[in-house]
């Protein structure tokens, strides 16, 4: 049994105790100010203007939204439709894919396509998150597509196209960021971008959204994230000690900087903390594409970012970072402390 929250929550009106977050972490009211000033960047304008806007956004917020990005609206809609269909399939179909069984977490530990509920280590969690998650690698596509869900029958075709286009968009963003940072052409080559993970979050309607979270406060462990949040609100970013809601703009993508890009930029760019809240009336599904370095890539501040100042982070292998990230449960401050060079 996968114990998916989307399955059992259909028949409950009460939030179980092990989903109730401590007072200082729970959202209370999920109505926070919708952040009108999270930059909205139009990719059809001049390149020099775009580079400047993206750099400012990455420094100030670590987050921005993009429009006129070149990914077709139909493809975004079709992908959202097919991933929702996946979560609406009967349990037996979905469970064939479940790689982490909370009652036996060693059952299918090596499957690359994973479906699970809450976090990746359910058995050791004190408090669970109100979400189910389907995730699989997607680059290079030929290497992974056979491990993806076979149903819905058009899942592989549509999600395959989406992964390719969103990867291209991510690399385009990285190229603009590279230019803004004054790094050499080719800086974000295969070593830094050779991994891509698609993660689909499904947050069912929740009986008490003020007490729980779909995803707790974290910064992303990767290089750069491109997220499609459909039309249902739920993403909040932490800025200047307060939570700000990110307005859902259908067909726009939300882009954010992960820990690796913060470190490569020697702290110039922000890997901002964020979380997902739930709501009491609508299911929410989001499609997240993470661009990752290869596992053995050494990550360190890029030389031109150091200049006359000292590096603020020590070098490490990406795969070792992921272990620390899991150990520290995504707590950005605790993770940064491990890699930060104290002045
Ligand atoms: O679903 C969302 O709005 C946020 C997802 C997210 O932060 C993540 O998957 O890392
Ligand atoms: Fe995230």
């Amino acid at each position: 049994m996968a114990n998916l929250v989307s399955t059992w929550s259909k028949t409950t009106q009460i939030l179980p105790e092990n989903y109730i977050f401590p007072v200082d972490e729970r959202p209370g009211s999920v109505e926070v100010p919708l952040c009108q000033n999270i930059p909205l960047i139009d990719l059809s304008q001049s390149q020099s203007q775009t580079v400047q806007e993206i750099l400012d956004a990455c420094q100030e917020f670590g987050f921005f939204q993009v429009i006129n990005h070149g990914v077709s609206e139909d493809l975004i809609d079709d992908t959202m439709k097919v991933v929702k269909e996946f979560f609406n399939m009967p349990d037996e179909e979905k469970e064939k894919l479940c790689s982490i069984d909370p009652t036996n977490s060693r059952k299918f530990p090596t499957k690359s396509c994973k479906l699970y509920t809450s976090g990746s280590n359910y058995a050791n969690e004190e408090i669970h998150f109100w979400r189910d998650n389907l995730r699989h690698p997607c680059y290079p596509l030929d290497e992974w597509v056979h491990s993806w869900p076979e149903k819905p029958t058009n899942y592989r075709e549509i999600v395959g196209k989406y992964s390719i286009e969103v990867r291209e968009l991510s690399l385009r963003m990285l190229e603009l960021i590279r230019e803004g940072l004054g790094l050499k052409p080719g800086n974000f080559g295969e070593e830094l971008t050779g991994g891509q993970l698609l993660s689909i979050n499904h947050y069912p309607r929740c009986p008490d959204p003020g007490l729980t979270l779909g995803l707790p406060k974290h910064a992303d462990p990767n290089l750069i994230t491109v997220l499609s949040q459909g039309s249902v609100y739920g993403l909040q970013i932490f800025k200047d000690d307060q939570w700000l809601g990110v307005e859902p703009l259908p067909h726009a993508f939300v882009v954010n900087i992960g820990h690796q890009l913060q470190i490569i930029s020697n702290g110039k760019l922000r890997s901002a903390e964020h979380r997902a809240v739930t709501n009491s009336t609508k299911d929410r599904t989001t499609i997240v594409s993470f661009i990752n370095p290869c596992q053995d890539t050494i990550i360190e501040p890029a030389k031109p970012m150091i200049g006359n100042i000292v590096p603020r982070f020590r070098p490490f292998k990406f795969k070792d970072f992921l272990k620390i990230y899991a150990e520290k449960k995504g707590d950005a401050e605790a993770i940064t402390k491990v890699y930060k060079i104290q002045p």
Side-chain angles (χ1 to χ4, degrees):
M1 253 300 286
N3 213 16
L4 298 175
V5 62
S6 49
T7 305
W8 60 258
S9 69
K10 283 192 185 122
T11 52
T12 181
Q13 305 296 320
I14 295 163
L15 184 72
E17 234 169 76
N18 52 2
Y19 281 81
I20 301 179
F21 276 70
V23 178
D24 57 339
E25 288 175 47
R26 63 177 76 148
S29 166
V30 289
E31 300 300 328
V32 298
L34 271 187
C35 187
Q36 304 299 354
N37 47 9
I38 284 184
L40 178 63
I41 298 178
D42 181 346
L43 291 184
S44 66
Q45 63 185 332
S46 79
Q47 173 140 335
S48 57
Q49 180 72 15
T50 312
V51 167
Q52 193 54 53
E53 286 183 14
I54 290 187
L55 206 71
D56 290 347
C58 294
Q59 285 185 253
E60 170 141 21
F61 289 87
F63 264 88
F64 55 94
Q65 303 211 53
V66 286
I67 51 169
N68 291 323
H69 41 61
V71 181
S72 91
E73 297 192 351
D74 284 350
L75 181 59
I76 299 172
D77 290 342
D78 290 350
T79 309
M80 193 53 94
K81 187 162 167 253
V82 81
V83 299
K84 284 183 179 167
E85 269 167 34
F86 173 86
F87 278 102
N88 282 328
M89 287 191 313
D91 287 2
E92 314 81 73
E93 288 293 343
K94 284 184 290 193
E95 280 170 17
K96 281 185 205 155
L97 277 155
C98 287
S99 49
I100 297 184
D101 179 335
T103 58
N104 177 5
S105 59
R106 285 179 303 168
K107 208 166 161 193
F108 301 113
T110 58
K111 261 193 172 180
S112 59
C113 178
K114 300 177 171 37
L115 171 69
Y116 55 79
T117 194
S118 189
S120 59
N121 201 350
Y122 185 97
N124 292 337
E125 290 171 1
E126 269 170 51
I127 301 161
H128 304 307
F129 333 144
W130 193 264
R131 73 137 187 196
D132 295 327
N133 183 256
L134 170 67
R135 60 176 52 204
H136 48 65
C138 46
Y139 179 80
L141 185 62
D142 291 349
E143 205 172 294
W144 299 108
V145 69
H146 64 272
S147 69
W148 296 4
E150 283 174 79
K151 286 186 185 170
T153 48
N154 53 357
Y155 183 96
R156 292 180 178 182
E157 186 198 333
I158 291 173
V159 177
K161 270 194 203 144
Y162 179 89
S163 310
I164 290 173
E165 295 217 7
V166 169
R167 177 177 175 82
E168 275 169 15
L169 176 65
S170 310
L171 297 188
R172 197 170 145 205
M173 297 294 122
L174 283 171
E175 180 53 23
L176 296 166
I177 291 171
R178 179 202 64 72
E179 203 181 316
L181 290 175
L183 299 175
K184 282 201 303 289
N187 187 82
F188 295 110
E190 196 73 10
E191 286 221 321
L192 285 176
T193 62
Q196 184 186 5
L197 183 75
L198 204 74
S199 166
I200 298 139
N201 295 303
H202 184 66
Y203 312 98
R205 279 184 291 125
C206 174
D208 208 336
L211 299 181
T212 192
L213 286 166
L215 265 183
K217 185 176 173 189
H218 69 283
D220 291 346
N222 55 310
L223 197 65
I224 193 165
T225 305
V226 173
L227 172 139
S228 178
Q229 62 165 343
S231 54
V232 184
Y233 164 72
L235 176 61
Q236 298 183 339
I237 68 171
F238 196 60
K239 184 168 190 305
D240 303 330
D241 282 332
Q242 64 164 333
W243 288 102
L244 302 171
V246 180
E247 191 181 359
L249 302 172
H251 304 125
F253 288 105
V254 179
V255 182
N256 67 285
I257 302 300
H259 277 286
Q260 309 311 311
L261 200 42
Q262 172 168 295
I263 292 169
I264 291 166
S265 71
N266 202 30
K268 184 165 181 178
L269 307 185
R270 268 187 77 187
S271 172
E273 291 176 291
H274 53 283
R275 69 182 183 186
V277 296
T278 61
N279 77 80
S280 57
T281 53
K282 290 182 191 144
D283 292 355
R284 176 168 183 263
T285 307
T286 63
I287 311 166
V288 191
S289 165
F290 297 111
I291 297 293
N292 284 316
C294 298
Q295 294 286 311
D296 286 313
T297 300
I298 308 270
I299 306 293
E300 60 188 331
K303 298 276 175 315
M305 300 308 305
I306 301 170
N308 299 331
I309 52 171
V310 284
R312 292 176 56 195
F313 303 93
R314 65 175 177 81
F316 54 86
K317 270 194 184 168
F318 179 58
K319 66 178 175 198
D320 297 330
F321 180 95
L322 291 179
K323 281 186 212 142
I324 298 283
Y325 187 89
E327 223 172 79
K328 306 280 181 200
K329 299 187 178 131
D331 177 340
E333 205 180 304
I335 297 161
T336 308
K337 218 169 160 186
V338 174
Y339 294 104
K340 212 170 185 166
I341 297 173
Q342 299 306 330

